[in-house]
């Protein structure tokens, strides 16, 4: 049952990097465009004393913001951190939001909520830019490089995209967990993010695919816009053998859980387009026929 003015709970995991967090919070409160929300910062084993001093200033500056302490041991687990934060949430809608985000568009929360409130929508994603004003995320395309890729990645911020897709609200199979809104009841019904199979990679894709399997739509809107300083606080997986092994294992689990055919055949992406690139070029097979 829909409420006229539902509360939103924004979940932001954080470990040190208070400059990033402060930029995220300042831009969120400035551009929310909506007044019924809380922010739950999920403290994840910070080591800098300045971080905890910063936390003490939050409530005075952002009255609906508070901190919960996640004390999970072992390797970084994005899914577990968000599930822990969600257990404290009072909102009817949850917004998963990375701390390395800067919100650019006004009415940001209102825009996402306008779709999340719909009775047929299970998750909503936003338009993410790299700091150099190129596209980082405009929806997730399944099958790219054998798993998943970001639509129009590295296109200029001003581009309209293939068939105007960069400026058109539309359905996708998945959206990034760096900024993902969903109904709190649905998040709990689906068991949240999968802490065991997808601790770091593909947890957002897995969640969205499970939501779709349950009969819901995944929507991406170009009218909620932000910068994403991607992986700045966590670092890249490419140069760390242990992280790469974990990433590869999660890639294999995506196939095991959802099936190869579901991963490689995206109903929102033309089979005549390449699965090797994210820029909507024609597939090599098709070009060779010309």
């Amino acid at each position: 049952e829909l409420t006229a003015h539902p509360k939103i709970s924004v979940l932001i995991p954080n470990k040190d990097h208070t400059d990033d967090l402060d930029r995220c919070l300042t831009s969120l409160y400035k551009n929310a465009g909506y007044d019924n929300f809380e922010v739950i910062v999920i403290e994840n084993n910070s080591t800098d004393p300045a971080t905890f001093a910063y936390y003490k200033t939050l409530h005075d500056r952002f009255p609906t913001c508070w901190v919960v302490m996640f004390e999970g041991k072992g390797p970084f687990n994005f899914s577990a951190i968000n599930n822990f934060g969600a257990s404290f949430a009072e909102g009817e809608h949850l917004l998963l939001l990375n701390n390395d985000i800067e919100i650019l568009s006004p009415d940001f929360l209102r825009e996402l909520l306008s779709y999340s409130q719909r009775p047929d929508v299970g998750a909503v994603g936003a338009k993410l830019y790299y700091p150099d004003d190129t596209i980082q995320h405009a929806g997730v395309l399944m099958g790219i490089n054998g798993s998943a890729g970001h639509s129009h990645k590295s296109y200029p911020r001003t581009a309209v995209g293939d068939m105007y897709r960069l400026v058109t609200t539309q359905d996708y199979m998945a959206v990034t967990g760096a900024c993902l809104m969903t109904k709190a009841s649905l998040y709990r019904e689906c068991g949240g993010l999968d802490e065991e199979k997808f601790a770091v990679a593909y947890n957002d894709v897995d969640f969205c695919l499970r939501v779709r399997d349950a009969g819901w739509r995944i929507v991406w809107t170009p009218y909620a816009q932000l910068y994403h300083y991607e992986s700045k606080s966590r670092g890249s997986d490419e140069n760390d053998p242990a992280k790469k092994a974990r990433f590869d294992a999660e890639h294999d689990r995506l196939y095991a859980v959802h099936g190869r055919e579901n991963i490689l055949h995206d109903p929102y992406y033309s089979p005549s387009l390449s699965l090797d690139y994210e820029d909507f070029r024609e597939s090599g097979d098709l070009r060779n026929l010309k």
Side-chain angles (χ1 to χ4, degrees), residues 19-30:
D19 289 346
D20 288 338
L21 178 60
D22 192 69
R23 179 179 56 213
C24 178
L25 290 172
T26 300
S27 65
L28 172 63
Y29 278 84
K30 176 184 176 182

Side-chain angles (χ1 to χ4, degrees), residues 9-12 38-43 66-71 78-91 93-96 182-185 187-189 191-193 195:
S9 295
V10 183
L11 309 179
I12 306 178
E38 63 177 353
V39 177
I40 302 173
V41 174
I42 310 159
E43 156 54 32
W66 47 296
V67 180
V68 298
M69 310 296 286
F70 177 79
E71 297 179 351
F78 180 82
S79 297
I81 294 166
N82 277 284
N83 290 345
F84 177 78
S87 70
F88 295 90
E90 298 178 354
H93 299 262
L94 304 178
L95 175 62
L96 310 187
T182 186
K183 297 171 175 64
S185 58
Y187 189 86
R188 294 178 180 117
E189 286 169 16
L193 303 183
E195 303 177 16

Side-chain angles (χ1 to χ4, degrees), residues 78-237:
F78 180 82
S79 297
I81 294 166
N82 277 284
N83 290 345
F84 177 78
S87 70
F88 295 90
E90 298 178 354
E92 293 179 49
H93 299 262
L94 304 178
L95 175 62
L96 310 187
L97 193 67
N98 281 18
N99 66 344
D100 55 350
I101 289 292
E102 181 180 4
I103 291 154
L104 303 174
S105 55
D107 295 332
F108 177 76
L109 290 182
R110 184 208 57 76
E111 172 67 18
L112 294 171
L113 181 63
S114 70
Y115 294 101
S116 190
Q117 277 190 292
R118 285 177 42 163
D120 58 338
V121 172
V124 189
K127 190 175 188 179
L128 280 61
Y129 304 117
Y130 288 116
D132 66 355
D133 286 317
T134 58
I135 302 293
Q136 191 261 335
H137 169 270
V140 172
L141 299 172
M142 299 306 300
I144 300 291
N145 293 317
S147 55
H150 286 181
S151 167
H152 294 90
K153 189 173 182 179
S154 298
Y155 267 55
R157 176 174 173 175
T158 54
V160 298
D162 183 74
M163 303 295 288
Y164 290 88
R165 288 184 68 165
L166 279 174
V167 292
T168 306
T169 303
Q170 63 207 266
D171 289 354
Y172 274 98
M173 288 186 74
V175 292
T176 179
C179 177
L180 184 155
M181 184 176 284
T182 186
K183 297 171 175 64
S185 58
L186 179 59
Y187 189 86
R188 294 178 180 117
E189 286 169 16
C190 290
L193 303 183
D194 191 323
E195 303 177 16
E196 296 186 6
K197 295 186 180 74
F198 304 103
V200 180
Y202 298 116
N203 40 57
D204 45 7
V205 173
D206 167 70
F207 176 76
C208 288
L209 293 180
R210 287 187 283 122
V211 166
R212 285 190 83 249
D213 288 345
W216 302 82
R217 300 170 66 178
I218 310 299
V219 172
W220 173 80
T221 170
Y223 302 108
Q225 302 177 30
L226 43 88
Y227 281 135
H228 183 200
Y229 304 87
E230 186 185 24
S231 298
K232 181 178 177 181
S233 59
R234 186 173 61 85
S236 172
D237 292 346

Side-chain angles (χ1 to χ4, degrees), residues 141 144-145 269 274-281 287:
L141 299 172
I144 300 291
N145 293 317
Y269 188 64
S274 174
L275 291 178
D276 297 322
Y277 302 92
E278 296 157 305
D279 59 5
F280 286 77
R281 71 182 67 182
R287 288 198 303 275

Side-chain angles (χ1 to χ4, degrees), residues 7 29 37-39 57-66:
K7 188 172 187 175
Y29 278 84
F37 71 96
E38 63 177 353
V39 177
T57 71
L58 286 181
H59 191 70
D60 288 339
R61 297 176 57 214
F62 310 110
T64 61
C65 178
W66 47 296

